[in-house]
Amino acid sequence: AGMEASCKGREASWSGSQCCVPQYWTCTAGTIGGCKGRDQLWTGTYCCVEKPMHCTAGLAGSCQGHGAIFTGTRCCLPPPTTCVAGTIDGCKGPDMLWTGTYCCVDGQEQCLPSVKGNCAGPSTVFTGTECCVPEDWQCSSGVEHCRAMGGSRVGTRCCSKRM
């Protein structure tokens, strides 16, 4: 995809029908006006970021910090990042970024609907509407003795490291 006139830049080449960039680049939706930052290339169709990124919906004013790059319509963050539902007030913390649409948490996480009071224990992160723990943790129903057994409460589930 793209246009020959736009496909100019470091490591970009025109094939005769599409703009070709290195496989490790991330190409996503964007706008010609929004795709002008450092390490970005507008192909005429997509905004390509010259490195692996995780992109999600966002707004220019919110997509700042944590290595974020705004494409004009998408907020791209360095992986590993998990972006889920949340709230602007709930998505506050050193390892979190509110994109204007989603709450992005550093790391590969699994997230479940929760209220703040039901998101407690080691490695929990609350986004405002969801509680997240590392993706490789195992979650099961029943929270009665969860914390006493070293687990983390995640909504209506008890999650802990796999043994």
Side-chain angles (χ1 to χ4, degrees), residues 15 21-22 42 69 97 118 130 139 153:
S15 72
V21 299
W42 177 250
I69 295 175
L97 175 74
N118 291 343
E130 297 197 21
C139 297
R153 180 155 183 187

Side-chain angles (χ1 to χ4, degrees), residues 13-133:
S13 62
W14 184 252
S15 72
S17 61
Q18 64 183 357
C19 187
C20 300
V21 299
Q23 191 171 1
Y24 67 91
W25 286 20
T26 302
C27 296
T28 188
T31 64
I32 191 169
C35 188
K36 290 189 183 225
R38 203 176 111 233
D39 298 329
Q40 289 177 282
L41 171 76
W42 177 250
T43 69
T45 306
Y46 295 108
C47 181
C48 296
V49 181
E50 298 178 4
K51 54 184 138 186
M53 299 292 270
H54 175 87
C55 303
T56 191
L59 303 171
S62 299
C63 183
Q64 298 175 10
H66 294 271
I69 295 175
F70 189 66
T71 69
T73 60
R74 313 271 291 165
C75 184
C76 299
L77 293 141
T81 301
T82 302
C83 298
V84 296
T87 64
I88 191 169
D89 290 326
C91 189
K92 293 189 188 302
D95 299 327
M96 305 168 80
L97 175 74
W98 176 250
T99 70
T101 307
Y102 293 107
C103 182
C104 295
V105 180
D106 289 349
Q108 289 294 112
E109 302 283 312
Q110 58 178 313
C111 305
L112 298 167
S114 181
V115 295
K116 188 172 181 121
N118 291 343
C119 183
S123 300
T124 58
V125 177
F126 185 64
T127 69
T129 61
E130 297 197 21
C131 184
C132 305
V133 292

